[in-house]
Amino acid sequence: LNTTEEKFVLDTLAGCTEYKSILDVVVNAFYVQDGRYCPISERNLYIVICYLATFQLEEIGLQHFSRIVKSLDTAKVQKFLRFFFNDLYLNTWIKDEWSHFYDSVYVKENWIDPLLRWQPKVQQLIEKLTDKLSNRTTTAKTSRVTQPKEFNLTVPKPRAIPPPSPAPLPVLPKRQPVPPSIYKPPKERKQLEQIKTKNIQKAKIRSLTCVCKGDPFFLNTLPVQGTILTGKEIDPLLSQYLEVVWESILMQYFEELTKQPQDPIDNIPIKLNTAAILREGALYQRKLEEELKRIENLQQGAGDPSEFLEWQKQMRGKDLEEQLAEIECRRLQGKLSYEEAVLAHQNVIQENKKKADLLREEKAELMHLYAEKRLQEQKEMKELVEQVVEGHKNVKQVKAKIQEYKQQIVQKVCEESGELLRQALEEKEDNNRKRYELIQQIRAIESTPSIRHKFVDLTETGGHGLFGEMSIVELRERLALLKEAQKAAEEEKRDQIIHVKQAKEQLILDKLDQISQFRAELGRAAALKQEEKKKSQSAERPMKDERILNLQKKIVEKAMERKKQAGLL
């Protein structure tokens, strides 16, 4: 071989050795799928073709690659090239398997993309090979021509490897604009408000119907400014009347709650357990003792607390009215805070729109600055690529020095591993020899006869020298005596439990009789008290609190202001 061919062969051999891991991925897959019947001796042929197509196709060119392929077996090469230059295989599992050894971005840019660019031209070469296999190519008869001999000229120097093209700079993806739904209130909130308004109107109409007491023409008789309303005039003024009637219904409801008597529930039959019976019996016993003590105090000259209890009842009634007024005030305050929150939300929307306009202007300025910065980075990147290309010129000399250094290290390691292996074999032989001697001793001990039968006397002790030592017969007798004593104790305890249970049942029956008597007396007293309360009770309509009126006025004003603001928006 001349210098150029020798260099090409050595570079190919070195490349196949360096990239053996990724070349084996393709060749192994070819033998599994399309090359099941190909001999394993042709494996190196497919490795060389795969290396040339992947790493040397840009350098040697398609024409030189075609001459190398056509010089080989047509059927084998055509089958392998059709398998390797498959678009689906290159983009899927070949790319994924190569990414296990190298960076995925590097694999795609330097290996997969060039193969996809050469794929159409290589496909034409595969079609020519297929035509040649099917004998569809026409061979023209040519006459023998004179073969000229080359002149013995100076061999030109090999061409330098062209520097790799710099990687394309990444381009930022276009950002998606902010969706307009962010600046709009959700539809669900509007639907919930509509449903809430409808439910309030239905409740008010239902309460108005209850007040009318079955009169369907009740609204037609309501006076407005000294006139009688008709059915057509009710609709625009219906909301005002509903508000007034709704307030009156609420006040009547609260008044009925305060004046509604509690029904006596003492006579309702309830099945009680033991704990409830004892608890209720203790309660009635305590009440009986208190009543006796009160009678004794009255006999000794103490005063009657009935006046104090009446005053206490009046004060509690006033406290209940104040609590109801406070509840109504809180409800109206909540409604007022809701109106204020809606107004604040509308103001926040306007402020957000202004901030969004400012952010758009700032974004435009930042994009302009970013574009200038990217131009500067591209210039710096080009300068860096030029410096890297200059640094790659002396790579082969460094590789040769590294190869020699590695060979020296391998030689040293082989010598050291041989010495360690020899020592390990000697230690293993010693261990085997000692183990063999130990086995011989164990077998000699096992071969000696031993007495395995032992006669046991159950009436004798073990002879261990302990204080509580006894024979097995004595132990069995003592266990039988202990079992009889345990059974006698269990029978005695069972009789005691039965006596306690009977006494407890009798106590519960006595308590039940006492409870029934107390309940009957309390029921009669409650009935008499309820009749007296009905006679003395009078219906008084509570006056409306000034705070409630003020809050209602404020709510109406806030609602009008919110409607105006919503119209402007």
Side-chain angles (χ1 to χ4, degrees), residues 273-334:
N273 54 10
T274 305
I277 292 169
L278 295 175
R279 190 163 53 248
E280 193 169 358
L283 176 63
Y284 289 141
Q285 186 67 28
R286 190 167 58 253
K287 286 182 179 180
L288 181 61
E289 292 175 357
E290 291 176 356
E291 185 67 22
L292 293 174
K293 187 176 181 180
R294 189 180 69 82
I295 292 171
E296 289 178 359
N297 292 334
L298 289 174
Q299 289 177 357
Q300 294 175 3
D304 190 4
S306 59
E307 296 180 359
F308 171 76
L309 294 175
E310 184 67 25
W311 173 81
Q312 188 179 19
K313 182 178 179 182
Q314 293 176 1
M315 296 304 294
R316 286 180 179 175
K318 291 181 181 179
D319 292 340
L320 181 60
E321 291 177 359
E322 291 178 358
Q323 289 178 3
L324 293 174
E326 187 67 25
I327 291 170
E328 183 66 18
C329 289
R330 288 179 184 176
R331 186 184 70 81
L332 296 175
Q333 286 176 358

Side-chain angles (χ1 to χ4, degrees), residues 326-549:
E326 187 67 25
I327 291 170
E328 183 66 18
C329 289
R330 288 179 184 176
R331 186 184 70 81
L332 296 175
Q333 286 176 358
K335 193 172 181 182
L336 179 61
S337 63
Y338 169 73
E339 297 293 338
E340 293 176 352
V342 172
L343 288 173
H345 180 67
Q346 292 175 354
N347 295 330
V348 169
I349 290 173
Q350 293 180 356
E351 292 178 359
N352 290 339
K353 287 183 179 179
K354 293 179 182 178
K355 290 180 181 179
D357 295 336
L358 293 175
L359 288 175
R360 290 192 191 96
E361 295 177 359
E362 293 177 359
K363 182 181 177 182
E365 295 177 359
L366 291 174
M367 290 299 293
H368 182 66
L369 295 174
Y370 178 75
E372 294 178 355
K373 185 178 179 181
R374 292 298 298 170
L375 291 175
Q376 185 66 24
E377 289 179 355
Q378 288 179 0
K379 292 180 181 179
E380 294 176 357
M381 188 64 69
K382 289 181 180 179
E383 294 176 358
L384 181 62
V385 169
E386 293 176 358
Q387 294 176 4
V388 172
V389 170
E390 292 178 358
H392 281 307
K393 292 181 179 178
N394 298 324
V395 172
K396 292 188 177 180
Q397 297 178 1
V398 175
K399 283 184 178 180
K401 292 180 181 179
I402 293 172
Q403 189 71 19
E404 293 177 0
Y405 178 68
K406 288 182 178 179
Q407 289 177 358
Q408 294 176 1
I409 293 173
V410 169
Q411 187 176 1
K412 292 180 181 179
V413 170
C414 290
E415 294 175 358
E416 293 177 356
S417 62
E419 183 66 23
L420 293 173
L421 183 61
R422 185 178 59 77
Q423 294 177 1
L425 289 173
E426 292 177 356
E427 292 177 357
K428 191 172 182 181
E429 289 177 357
D430 294 339
N431 291 331
N432 291 334
R433 181 173 51 78
K434 293 178 181 179
R435 192 177 299 168
Y436 179 74
E437 293 175 357
L438 183 61
I439 291 170
Q440 292 295 333
Q441 293 176 4
I442 293 170
R443 287 180 179 175
I445 292 169
E446 289 178 352
S447 62
T448 57
S450 61
I451 300 172
R452 298 182 181 180
H453 299 285
K454 187 176 180 181
F455 298 99
V456 180
D457 189 5
L458 299 179
T459 59
E460 294 181 356
T461 59
H464 300 294
L466 301 175
F467 289 110
E469 193 172 7
M470 66 182 72
S471 63
I472 295 176
V473 175
E474 185 180 357
L475 179 62
R476 289 175 180 174
E477 290 177 357
R478 290 192 179 187
L479 287 174
L481 293 174
L482 285 174
K483 287 182 180 179
E484 291 177 359
Q486 188 177 3
K487 286 183 180 179
E490 287 178 357
E491 291 293 335
E492 185 178 357
K493 191 174 182 180
R494 189 178 291 109
D495 296 337
Q496 186 179 359
I497 291 170
I498 290 171
H499 290 308
V500 171
K501 189 174 180 181
Q502 290 175 356
K504 190 174 180 180
E505 289 177 354
Q506 185 63 33
L507 177 63
I508 290 172
L509 291 174
D510 297 340
K511 290 288 184 181
L512 283 174
D513 295 337
Q514 187 180 1
I515 288 169
S516 61
Q517 293 176 5
F518 272 105
R519 282 184 178 179
E521 294 295 333
L522 289 175
R524 287 193 291 271
L528 293 173
K529 188 176 180 180
Q530 188 67 26
E531 291 177 0
E532 293 176 359
K533 189 175 181 180
K534 286 182 179 179
K535 293 177 181 178
S536 62
Q537 194 174 17
S538 60
E540 294 180 359
R541 183 172 181 176
M543 299 298 292
K544 187 173 289 188
D545 196 355
E546 293 181 359
R547 293 181 299 171
I548 298 174
L549 297 175

Side-chain angles (χ1 to χ4, degrees), residues 180-194 345 349:
S181 60
I182 292 179
Y183 304 106
K184 295 180 180 180
K187 296 180 180 179
E188 290 78 6
R189 183 184 298 173
K190 187 176 180 181
Q191 292 176 358
L192 289 174
E193 290 179 356
Q194 292 177 357
H345 180 67
I349 290 173

Side-chain angles (χ1 to χ4, degrees), residues 9 15 19 24 91 115 120 130 233 254 285 301 321 353 429 478 480 529 541 551:
V9 172
Y19 299 101
D24 287 343
N91 288 318
L115 288 173
T130 307
E233 296 172 351
F254 290 137
Q285 186 67 28
E321 291 177 359
K353 287 183 179 179
E429 289 177 357
R478 290 192 179 187
K529 188 176 180 180
R541 183 172 181 176
L551 288 173

